[in-house]
């Protein structure tokens, strides 16, 4: 999911399928799922118009930057919590063309990535806000803050808000992503989310953590400033998030 998310941003104006696949059981073993995954990927890549970076696993094709690994041992290893599969394979191969991104008439461009320093911080009861303060004094560029529910945090902890505000004032881009498997950040839904927004935290809407990280890598590599990156975070660039209506 990290690799597919990263490649979806790196490959600009993509007009061919790029499909990641693999197996849960190695190819050399009798019960391996590798052959089905490889054949399914090759058929879709060779005979169907799906100009996307995708993941094919267990008879389903997913948009790569919408995917997460959800099972370490089962055949249904990947899932796309906030976006339906692009295709399902059974006796027939059914491509949901309404979900597939438009074919680009422009030549392919590859964006070189210069990795920024990004921290992913998972909130939990008893979280020490001094961790954010310590990070902010280092030469990092951004933080993905994994919050509760629709983007909430314990804002009664004034030290947390002050630490986030100080980090933002130092030039860090702070993106709010939910810890929930499914759903979206809505920072206007509760007072706690609004408090985060007031100190400079940006909504990651329904992006996965993998997609948010890849997007930050991409945006920082295009030499945008803090304000420009924050504006781009909420825009749907590669199908990585659902537009806010």
């Amino acid at each position: 999911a990290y690799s597919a998310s990263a490649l979806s941003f790196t490959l600009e104006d993509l007009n061919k399928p790029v499909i990641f696949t693999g197996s849960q059981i190695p190819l050399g073993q009798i019960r391996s799922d590798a052959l089905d995954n490889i054949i399914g990927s090759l058929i879709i890549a060779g005979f169907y118009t799906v100009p996307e970076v995708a993941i094919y696993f267990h008879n389903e094709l997913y948009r790569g930057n919408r995917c997460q690994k959800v099972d370490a041992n089962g055949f249904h290893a990947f899932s796309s919590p906030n976006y339906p599969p692009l295709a399902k394979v059974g006796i027939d191969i059914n491509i949901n063309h309404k979900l597939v991104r438009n074919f680009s008439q422009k030549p392919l461009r590859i964006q070189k990535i210069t990795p920024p320093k990004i921290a992913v911080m998972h909130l939990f009861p008893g979280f020490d806000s001094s961790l954010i303060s310590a990070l902010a004094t280092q030469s990092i560029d951004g933080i993905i803050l994994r919050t509760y529910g629709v983007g909430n945090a314990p804002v009664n902890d004034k030290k947390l808000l002050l630490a986030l505000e100080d980090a933002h004032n130092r030039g860090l881009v702070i993106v709010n992503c939910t810890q929930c498997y499914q759903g979206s950040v809505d920072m206007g839904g509760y007072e706690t989310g609004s408090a985060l927004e007031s100190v400079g935290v940006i909504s990651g809407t329904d992006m996965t953590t993998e997609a948010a990280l890849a997007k930050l890598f991409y945006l920082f590599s295009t030499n945008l400033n803090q304000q420009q990156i924050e504006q781009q975070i909420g825009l749907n660039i590669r199908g990585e998030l659902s537009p806010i209506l």
Side-chain angles (χ1 to χ4, degrees), residues 122-178:
H122 190 103
L123 292 185
F124 54 86
F127 180 84
D128 188 345
S129 59
S130 67
L131 294 172
I132 294 176
S133 299
L135 275 175
T137 60
Q138 305 301 313
S139 57
I140 73 166
D141 302 295
I143 296 173
I144 295 174
L145 195 65
R146 302 199 69 229
T147 56
Y148 309 130
V150 293
N152 302 317
V155 294
N156 288 332
D157 181 0
K158 300 303 179 185
K159 290 182 179 179
L160 175 62
L161 290 179
L162 289 172
L164 290 169
E165 185 174 32
D166 177 64
H168 183 259
N169 290 340
R170 290 174 181 267
L172 274 69
V173 175
I174 308 171
V175 181
N176 185 351
C177 288
T178 178

Side-chain angles (χ1 to χ4, degrees), residues 80-91:
S80 176
N82 290 313
Y83 201 75
L86 302 178
K88 293 187 177 183
V89 176
I91 293 176

Side-chain angles (χ1 to χ4, degrees), residues 43-245:
I43 290 173
I44 292 173
F47 294 99
Y48 294 89
T49 303
V50 185
E52 300 236 9
V53 176
I55 293 176
Y56 181 82
F57 235 85
H58 199 53
N59 300 320
E60 292 190 325
L61 184 75
Y62 304 106
R63 177 169 293 162
N65 57 32
R66 290 290 197 145
C67 258
Q68 290 184 306
K69 184 79 178 279
V70 295
D71 195 332
N73 304 110
F75 288 130
H76 201 96
F78 289 88
S79 184
S80 176
N82 290 313
Y83 201 75
L86 302 178
K88 293 187 177 183
V89 176
I91 293 176
D92 298 316
I93 297 177
N94 297 306
I95 307 292
N96 194 334
H97 293 285
K98 292 181 179 179
L99 299 177
V100 177
R101 286 175 58 79
N102 293 330
F103 185 89
S104 176
Q105 300 294 338
K106 299 178 181 179
L108 174 69
R109 294 179 295 123
I110 300 176
Q111 172 63 48
K112 182 179 179 181
I113 300 298
T114 304
K117 294 181 179 179
I118 307 295
V120 179
M121 307 197 76
H122 190 103
L123 292 185
F124 54 86
F127 180 84
D128 188 345
S129 59
S130 67
L131 294 172
I132 294 176
S133 299
L135 275 175
T137 60
Q138 305 301 313
S139 57
I140 73 166
D141 302 295
I143 296 173
I144 295 174
L145 195 65
R146 302 199 69 229
T147 56
Y148 309 130
V150 293
N152 302 317
V155 294
N156 288 332
D157 181 0
K158 300 303 179 185
K159 290 182 179 179
L160 175 62
L161 290 179
L162 289 172
L164 290 169
E165 185 174 32
D166 177 64
H168 183 259
N169 290 340
R170 290 174 181 267
L172 274 69
V173 175
I174 308 171
V175 181
N176 185 351
C177 288
T178 178
Q179 296 176 15
C180 296
Y181 168 70
Q182 194 168 25
S184 178
V185 167
D186 178 9
M187 294 176 68
Y190 292 91
E191 181 182 353
T192 50
S194 298
L196 292 177
E197 189 172 30
S198 71
V199 296
V201 178
I202 303 300
S203 173
T205 63
D206 63 350
M207 279 191 292
T208 64
T209 300
E210 294 91 334
L213 183 66
K215 190 170 187 176
L216 283 173
F217 271 52
Y218 166 75
L219 292 174
F220 273 103
S221 298
T222 57
N223 297 317
L224 301 177
N225 61 36
Q226 181 192 29
Q227 184 179 7
Q228 291 170 325
I229 290 174
E230 290 173 344
Q231 291 171 346
Q232 291 289 314
I233 285 294
L235 299 181
N236 185 20
I237 299 175
R238 300 283 193 276
E240 73 281 0
L241 57 81
S242 301
I244 299 174
L245 301 177

